[in-house]
Amino acid sequence: TALATISYYPLYGKVSWFESTVSYFDFYLTAGGGRIELNSGPAPIGTAGVGMGMWWTQHLSSRIELRYQNYQDQIHTGPRRIESAMATFSMGVLL
């Protein structure tokens, strides 16, 4: 799969945790399209999602995202629309 996406960040800010630590966050929307290689040949694919990133410290971050994808493949009875949704959570360490 090869995708090109664009993201929009409508909301960002910071949170004070019990007046001891400040964490930064952002919410984002993403959309895109591309091409997927299948056994039946290449097909266009579309994607859309929403997510939130959080910087807990200067070196530790996390991200949670919900993403929807759809494409169409060919089987012996004709075309079939494939729709999928996935949720991902990731942690990052900045050196």
Side-chain angles (χ1 to χ4, degrees):
T1 303
L3 288 171
T5 60
I6 187 166
S7 298
Y8 173 63
Y9 293 80
L11 181 62
Y12 60 92
K14 56 186 173 180
V15 175
S16 176
W17 301 101
F18 308 108
E19 298 181 12
S20 64
T21 301
V22 174
S23 299
Y24 297 88
F25 67 90
D26 61 32
F27 288 98
Y28 63 92
L29 303 169
T30 188
R35 186 177 177 111
I36 186 169
E37 291 292 330
L38 305 167
N39 287 340
S40 60
I45 184 170
T47 187
V50 61
M52 184 182 100
M54 188 78 136
W55 285 261
W56 299 99
T57 68
Q58 192 173 4
H59 300 284
L60 182 65
S61 67
S62 66
R63 189 163 296 276
I64 187 166
E65 182 176 287
L66 300 172
R67 187 175 287 225
Y68 166 80
Q69 291 184 341
N70 69 30
Y71 61 91
Q72 191 170 354
D73 71 352
Q74 295 289 328
I75 57 175
H76 64 279
T77 58
R80 175 177 61 169
R81 185 178 175 141
I82 306 294
E83 299 179 85
S84 65
M86 65 185 101
T88 58
F89 176 77
S90 61
M91 296 289 292
V93 176
L94 296 155
L95 302 175

